[in-house]
Amino acid sequence: MADHSKTLLLSAEHDEMIHDMQMDYHGKLIATCSSDHTIKILLPQANGQQSQVVQTLKGHDGPVWAVGWAHPKFGGNHLASCSYDHKIIIWKETSHHQWSKHYE
């Protein structure tokens, strides 16, 4: 049986502990969240190359515990984040690899 697994090298460049990591529905983007109050959007690279951070999202006032991608049928890329600050933020990709708050 052939081994079709691939290795991804991730360096999310967070300053503190990473609490969650989620790959989007199509496997084209990865979101990570951390105690440093940020979310990082990464572009995974093939063949063992380092993933690239395309944007750092800032909007929480406490450690970010979890992230989750919406199904693509909801129109565009949407990402939810929740934090120790008791906020849930919905982020939307407004243009190619550019994100902004959609709902707070």
Side-chain angles (χ1 to χ4, degrees):
M1 181 178 245
D3 181 11
H4 297 288
S5 63
K6 294 183 180 181
T7 301
L8 287 176
L9 294 176
L10 296 177
S11 176
E13 301 174 12
H14 284 286
D15 295 329
E16 296 187 32
M17 181 171 43
I18 296 172
H19 296 289
D20 194 15
M21 178 198 111
Q22 297 289 323
M23 187 170 276
D24 76 342
Y25 182 81
H26 299 290
K28 296 185 187 260
L29 293 171
I30 294 172
T32 61
C33 62
S34 169
S35 286
D36 66 7
H37 306 191
T38 66
I39 298 122
K40 305 270 186 173
I41 307 295
L42 296 101
L43 189 60
Q45 303 293 321
N47 303 323
Q49 295 179 14
Q50 187 92 7
S51 293
Q52 174 188 0
V53 176
V54 293
Q55 189 168 1
T56 300
L57 306 178
K58 297 178 181 179
H60 287 288
D61 298 318
V64 185
W65 296 118
V67 288
W69 296 95
H71 191 278
K73 76 176 182 178
F74 293 105
N77 273 338
H78 290 83
L79 178 72
S81 61
C82 64
S83 170
Y84 187 74
D85 63 8
H86 301 256
K87 289 194 288 190
I88 296 171
I89 299 175
I90 307 296
W91 305 87
K92 183 176 182 176
E93 188 175 31
T94 54
S95 62
H96 186 66
H97 299 312
Q98 295 298 309
W99 296 76
S100 65
K101 286 184 191 176
H102 183 63
Y103 175 83
E104 182 175 351

